[in-house]
Amino acid sequence: MKIDPRESLISAATHFYQKGWMVGTAGNLSARLSDGSFWITASGRPKGELTSQDFVRVDVEGKVLEKPNPNFLPSAETIIHQAIYQCFPKVKACYHVHSIEANLVSNFTEGNGLLLPPLEMLKGLGIWEENPWVEMPVFVNHLEVSKIAVEIGDRFLDSPPKVPALLIRNHGVTVWADSPESAYHYIELVEYIFRYMMAVRQVSM
Ligand SMILES: [Zn+2]
């Protein structure tokens, strides 16, 4: 049986839009099927009112296999989803949002990794350590999206991150998981962590 994950993507996008994390058609969500292809939000569609027509199904090389609306193109950032699916064969969903918090914390470091606070919430991202020292990878927001994707692929094949999340500086956060439901939780968790980091800065100022 082939399960269509588009309903999960639609409800996640509606929620993220209401949170202000996918305004002005920003962000993109995808879910991979058992044949390796994945549904991804079509480019330029308002994320607060998606329907099952607002998706394009592509293969792992980015070739379009199916589009309910012939006028729609896959998200301009599809190539980043391809890089994530290629790096992590078990991953079934990849969510990317443009939140204010993600953009602010991406500037809390000039390096290529953001040290995360040792919060209990890290357990939700798979970190079961006392006083964990965990960095979230940070990438440069190149104008050419394919360049970002190449840098993600190169770095992760060499050294996979401890958390299933990455930041693109001044752009947004991307998470990946073994199901759309887990990817949804990961977005909520990283956003909580980002809000905490911003609150710490305000308290210490
Ligand atoms: Zn983006």
Side-chain angles (χ1 to χ4, degrees), residues 6 9 22 25-30 39-47 50-58 66-78:
R6 280 178 288 178
L9 299 179
M22 296 191 96
T25 80
N28 30 81
L29 310 181
S30 75
W39 282 110
I40 187 161
T41 42
S43 184
R45 303 304 301 151
K47 300 305 186 299
L50 294 179
T51 74
S52 60
Q53 304 289 301
D54 295 316
F55 293 84
V56 178
R57 190 163 69 84
V58 299
E66 191 177 346
K67 47 179 177 179
N69 184 322
N71 298 320
F72 291 171
L73 294 171
S75 161
E77 293 168 350
T78 299

Side-chain angles (χ1 to χ4, degrees), residues 59-153:
D59 69 12
V60 79
E61 303 297 332
K63 187 174 148 233
V64 174
L65 301 176
E66 191 177 346
K67 47 179 177 179
N69 184 322
N71 298 320
F72 291 171
L73 294 171
S75 161
E77 293 168 350
T78 299
I79 195 165
I80 291 177
H81 294 246
Q82 289 167 233
I84 293 298
Y85 288 130
Q86 281 168 350
C87 286
F88 307 110
K90 290 183 181 157
V91 162
K92 294 287 186 207
C94 180
Y95 285 9
H96 167 69
V97 299
H98 293 187
S99 67
I100 289 174
E101 291 84 356
N103 289 334
L104 286 170
V105 302
S106 73
N107 289 293
F108 285 7
T109 177
E110 289 177 4
N112 66 2
L114 176 71
L115 184 62
L116 301 179
L119 298 173
E120 172 70 15
M121 288 294 238
L122 287 181
K123 285 185 184 152
L125 293 172
I127 306 294
W128 288 77
E129 295 167 26
E130 243 177 65
N131 301 313
W133 195 94
V134 180
E135 281 190 338
M136 186 177 292
V138 181
F139 291 88
V140 174
N141 187 30
H142 299 294
L143 193 59
E144 215 176 309
V145 182
S146 59
K147 206 169 163 191
I148 306 173
V150 167
E151 288 185 2
I152 291 170

Side-chain angles (χ1 to χ4, degrees), residues 23-40:
V23 300
T25 80
N28 30 81
L29 310 181
S30 75
R32 178 151 66 173
L33 306 174
S34 53
D35 68 359
S37 69
F38 60 92
W39 282 110
I40 187 161

